[in-house]
């Protein structure tokens, strides 16, 4: 039995466990093993919604996960040339962003050609293990579209008015272990996410919803 089979098949008869996080459905549960980001190590989360991001036909499924204490994170599966990993994200408040990077420094992310690197000034309580010391800009004002719902087994809508368009900014550390992701919508609403890239083996257990 291969290494990943050992990880994803720790199940007894009738347990209903899953084989891969990309197959999660609404109501399913996922438990992570020992990981660096604060608040998620050895914790169980339930899938409460499944939505889709479209970056010029590069479709990405986003699983909204809610913990037993009400905390929410987002998970997606990356596939870079057959090498898979997890993106685990949490939303940052305005105050957390400014504490991390400084208001004026972070504002330059949205000014074309201004940011070469972004340095962390402090690490707010509760964000231990979620951020890197320094980031470089990877995506500067790319076009993205947010679609409510699960489009893994169906085509994306053909018309832009069937989705929410946004401008996308991505910063990563040199080791590609962490990212800061920004979505800026036409009405000015801006969402900032701290993302940690984790190996697939970080998943300890996944269980199907009991019906």
């Amino acid at each position: 039995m291969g290494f990943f089979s050992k990880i994803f098949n720790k199940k007894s008869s009738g347990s209903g466990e899953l084989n891969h996080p990309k197959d999660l459905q609404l109501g399913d549960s996922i438990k992570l093993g020992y990981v660096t980001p604060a608040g998620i190590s050895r914790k169980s989360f339930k899938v409460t919604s499944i939505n889709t991001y479209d970056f010029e036909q590069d479709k990405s499924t986003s699983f909204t996960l809610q913990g037993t204490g009400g905390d929410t994170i987002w998970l997606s599966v990356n596939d870079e040339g057959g090498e898979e990993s997890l993106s685990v994200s949490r939303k940052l408040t305005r105050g957390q962003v400014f504490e991390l990077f400084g208001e004026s420094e972070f504002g330059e992310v949205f000014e074309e050609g201004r940011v070469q690197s972004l340095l962390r000034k402090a690490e707010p309580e509760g964000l231990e293990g979620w951020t890197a010391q320094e980031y470089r800009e990877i995506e500067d004002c790319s076009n993205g579209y947010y679609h409510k719902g699960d489009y893994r087994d169906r085509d994306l809508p053909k018309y832009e008015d069937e989705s929410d368009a946004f401008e996308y900014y991505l910063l990563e550390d040199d080791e590609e272990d962490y990212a800061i992701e920004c979505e800026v919508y036409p009405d000015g609403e801006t969402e900032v996410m701290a993302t940690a890239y984790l190996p697939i083996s970080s998943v300890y257990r996944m269980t199907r919803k009991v019906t």
Side-chain angles (χ1 to χ4, degrees):
M1 183 181 289
F3 177 68
F4 287 112
S5 296
K6 292 179 182 178
I7 293 173
F8 293 124
N9 286 287
K10 300 173 182 174
K11 56 185 179 181
S12 58
S13 177
S15 67
E17 292 193 5
L18 290 153
N19 291 323
H20 201 289
K22 68 183 179 183
D23 298 324
L24 287 165
Q25 301 288 345
L26 282 173
D28 291 347
S29 297
I30 180 171
K31 183 176 183 178
L32 299 174
Y34 291 105
V35 294
T36 302
I40 64 173
S41 189
R42 301 290 291 178
K43 297 288 182 66
S44 294
F45 295 85
K46 181 176 289 186
V47 180
T48 58
S49 71
I50 304 174
N51 298 294
T52 307
Y53 285 92
D54 173 22
F55 298 98
E56 298 183 359
Q57 298 306 310
D58 182 10
K59 188 165 63 173
S60 175
T61 302
S62 175
F63 302 95
T64 305
L65 307 178
Q66 189 169 54
T68 54
D71 46 325
T72 302
I73 60 173
W74 286 262
L75 179 143
S76 60
V77 178
N78 307 314
D79 188 343
E80 297 291 339
E83 190 169 324
E84 293 182 316
S85 64
L86 301 176
S87 288
V88 181
S89 306
R90 59 173 294 174
K91 286 185 181 181
L92 298 178
T93 66
R94 183 184 183 92
Q96 288 173 327
V97 171
F98 293 165
E99 186 176 350
L100 278 164
F101 304 112
E103 182 174 358
S104 60
E105 290 85 349
F106 190 77
E108 291 183 355
V109 169
F110 308 104
E111 297 183 26
E112 186 176 358
R114 289 292 298 275
V115 170
Q116 299 298 321
S117 65
L118 186 66
L119 297 176
R120 187 181 67 195
K121 294 177 176 291
E123 189 174 53
E125 183 178 356
L127 287 178
E128 296 86 358
W130 280 99
T131 61
Q133 184 63 44
E134 182 175 1
Y135 295 87
R136 52 190 171 83
E137 194 164 51
I138 305 299
E139 296 282 349
D140 182 8
C141 198
S142 299
N143 293 323
Y145 300 91
Y146 174 76
H147 302 268
K148 292 183 179 179
D150 184 358
Y151 285 86
R152 284 175 291 182
D153 298 321
R154 53 181 174 147
D155 293 333
L156 291 170
K158 294 181 180 180
Y159 304 104
E160 291 185 7
D161 60 2
E162 297 179 74
S163 62
D164 295 322
F166 61 90
E167 295 174 350
Y168 180 66
Y169 300 80
L170 171 66
L171 301 97
E172 293 181 336
D173 70 319
D174 286 338
E175 288 73 32
E176 298 182 349
D177 292 328
Y178 297 97
I180 296 294
E181 300 181 82
C182 308
E183 302 168 15
V184 182
Y185 290 86
D187 62 0
E189 178 187 355
T190 302
E191 293 188 352
V192 181
M193 312 284 282
T195 296
Y197 300 131
L198 303 175
I200 290 284
S201 57
S202 299
V203 177
Y204 179 74
R205 182 185 295 117
M206 295 175 293
T207 308
R208 281 289 188 207
K209 175 184 178 182
V210 178
T211 57

